[in-house]
Amino acid sequence: MGVPGPVWAVTVAGIAALLLFDYFFHVRKAHTPALREAAVWSAGYVGVALLFGVGVWFFGGTVMGTEYFAGYVTEKALSVDNLFVFLIIIGSFHVPRPDQQKVLLFGITFSLLARTAFIFLGATLINAFAWVFYLFGLILLLTAGNLLKPEETEGRPGDNTVVRIVKRVFPASGTFDGDKLFTTVDGKRVMTPMLLVMVAIGGTDILFALDSIPAIFGLTQNVYLVFTATAFSLLGLRQLYFLIDGLLDRLVYLSYGLAAILAFIGVKLILHALHENNVPFINGGEPVHVIEISTGLSLAVIIGVLVITVLASLFSAKGKAQNVVAAARRHAAEYLDESGEADAAAQERTFRKMLAEEQQMRELPEKYRARIREQRQLMDLLRAAHDKHER
């Protein structure tokens, strides 16, 4: 079903207005959103996305409505997974907490622009070459396999190739200057780490799009639905980051759930490619009569896998251990941060939180305590915090 030009224009204008609202009313003044603020705005953006989906269902019919919600849920889950990488990049650059909002909003804006370009490129390829479905399916299967690989804990995802190239070409300062992108050092204009972290996030966003766009094209080939589901999944991601910051490390099985979803959609794409086949060396260039997976079944599988994954993560001992370790690491780093503007009382509260988390670690089963003791960086960080407190 085609979507009229005026509807496209109103939709794009509405999404642009939501982004501009964020820039002018939320991140203009650096601050750390309170839990209530993050919760209210996260719920508001999700509500807008759901209302839009209801409108699509009402005006476009059941098929379009189901395709939109399947795409939105999938893209939202993938965007939450992206938050893990954002968290690591922001941590590796030691971005001050009040300035993290602006970094995240830039990442969301860049991601929306990059994915929009990929959406129209993907639609053009699909219309011109039916074999692209095979390629998209293979990309998703490979991505699913990569998600199951053990993560590199000692890596530095913030120090990627793009950042290294930029550092070589342009001089950069070693410290932040508020939320400025450039500053003056010894009479020379240089970049600040704020610009470098934005470059790092922008570079990783391009990689995210390589699995995000094939995934949603596996659920619908309607470009309007692909664009809107992707856009609404990204809007509100900044607030969601601050809302579930403490839970991100708790979702230990999310990568397995996403791997299952991407593999499922990859198989769905390959089956569709076989059904529409015109590749000469497959069945003589004739369509292969195979079963096709409906969008309704896809939506049910996606929601079911996500619910099981989240519940398993929240109630698992591994999830609880990982969550308390991440919280202790974060509070120790905050306490040791000399560039922060926290007063003595705020620093003392942060230290007390770290002490409580250390006590929780001591109450974990021995196998988890043994793994924690093997994390030398964490142990050194905690000892440094205690040394500073004693001094």
Side-chain angles (χ1 to χ4, degrees):
M1 177 180 176
V3 177
V7 175
W8 266 101
V10 171
T11 303
V12 171
I15 291 170
L18 289 173
L19 272 176
L20 290 174
F21 180 81
D22 257 0
Y23 273 105
F24 285 101
F25 294 97
H26 282 159
V27 304
R28 198 169 188 177
K29 182 180 180 182
H31 72 287
T32 302
L35 184 63
R36 177 182 172 82
E37 177 186 342
V40 169
W41 284 106
S42 294
Y45 278 107
V46 171
V48 170
L50 295 179
L51 283 174
F52 181 84
V54 171
V56 170
W57 200 302
F58 181 79
F59 291 104
T62 302
V63 173
M64 284 188 69
T66 306
E67 288 181 352
Y68 167 81
F69 281 113
Y72 173 73
V73 172
T74 302
E75 291 297 302
K76 197 69 175 177
L78 288 171
S79 67
V80 170
D81 188 51
N82 296 350
L83 284 180
F84 283 99
V85 181
F86 287 173
L87 181 65
I88 295 171
I89 291 175
I90 288 172
S92 68
F93 280 95
H94 304 291
V95 180
R97 187 77 170 170
D99 295 321
Q100 291 179 6
Q101 285 200 97
K102 186 166 289 187
V103 173
L104 287 167
L105 188 55
F106 167 81
I108 291 166
T109 304
F110 186 90
S111 183
L112 181 56
L113 294 173
R115 294 186 193 200
T116 299
F118 275 105
I119 286 169
F120 286 102
L121 175 61
T124 301
L125 291 174
I126 287 172
N127 290 331
F129 310 105
W131 54 262
V132 169
F133 286 110
Y134 287 114
L135 177 61
F136 281 2
L138 181 61
I139 289 173
L140 293 183
L141 291 175
L142 291 174
T143 303
N146 288 331
L147 284 173
L148 297 177
K149 291 181 180 179
E151 296 182 358
E152 296 291 336
T153 56
E154 298 297 325
R156 290 195 59 194
D159 193 18
N160 59 31
T161 304
V162 178
V163 172
R164 289 196 293 271
I165 293 173
V166 172
K167 282 182 177 179
R168 288 177 185 175
V169 177
F170 303 100
S173 67
T175 57
F176 287 87
D177 185 6
D179 59 1
K180 294 179 181 178
L181 302 181
F182 294 91
T183 188
T184 302
V185 177
D186 297 330
K188 296 181 179 179
R189 188 168 176 79
V190 296
M191 294 185 304
T192 67
M194 178 65 74
L195 181 57
L196 290 176
V197 71
M198 289 183 174
V199 170
I201 285 181
T204 55
D205 274 333
I206 295 175
L207 298 178
F208 292 152
L210 294 179
D211 58 60
S212 169
I213 300 307
I216 193 168
F217 269 117
L219 299 168
T220 177
Q221 283 83 60
N222 187 312
V223 179
Y224 180 78
L225 297 182
V226 172
F227 171 75
T228 52
T230 301
F232 282 116
S233 72
L234 293 171
L235 292 174
L237 198 59
R238 174 184 60 80
Q239 293 88 346
L240 188 64
Y241 172 89
F242 290 96
L243 179 63
I244 66 173
D245 185 9
L247 287 176
L248 281 176
D249 291 289
R250 186 73 174 270
L251 300 177
V252 291
Y253 299 122
L254 180 62
S255 60
Y256 296 102
L258 291 176
I261 290 171
L262 292 180
F264 172 79
I265 299 175
V267 171
K268 183 178 187 294
L269 274 169
I270 292 175
L271 290 175
H272 180 73
L274 289 169
H275 193 268
E276 303 290 331
N277 180 64
N278 60 6
V279 178
F281 56 82
I282 298 178
N283 197 36
E286 296 295 322
V288 181
H289 298 292
V290 294
I291 186 172
E292 286 212 77
I293 301 171
S294 68
T295 306
L297 177 60
S298 300
L299 179 59
V301 169
I302 291 166
I303 293 176
V305 169
L306 287 176
V307 168
I308 293 171
T309 299
V310 171
L311 291 178
S313 297
L314 294 178
F315 289 102
S316 72
K318 180 181 178 182
K320 293 176 182 178
Q322 190 160 313
N323 190 54
V324 70
V325 167
R329 180 184 289 110
R330 183 170 61 252
H331 287 134
E334 287 179 10
Y335 184 74
L336 291 169
D337 185 9
E338 300 292 344
S339 64
E341 298 178 358
D343 56 23
Q347 284 192 325
E348 183 65 21
R349 287 195 296 271
T350 300
F351 184 77
R352 294 299 170 189
K353 290 178 182 178
M354 188 195 78
L355 289 180
E357 286 142 7
E358 285 182 306
Q359 179 59 37
Q360 292 177 46
M361 285 191 285
R362 285 191 284 269
E363 295 171 357
L364 292 171
E366 174 56 29
K367 67 175 182 178
Y368 295 115
R369 296 203 305 273
R371 293 174 188 172
I372 291 171
R373 289 193 294 269
E374 293 172 357
Q375 299 183 35
R376 292 194 174 186
Q377 291 181 352
L378 172 64
M379 294 294 100
D380 291 343
L381 192 66
L382 295 175
R383 277 194 293 270
H386 279 282
D387 291 343
K388 178 181 176 181
H389 192 264
E390 287 178 7
R391 290 194 303 270

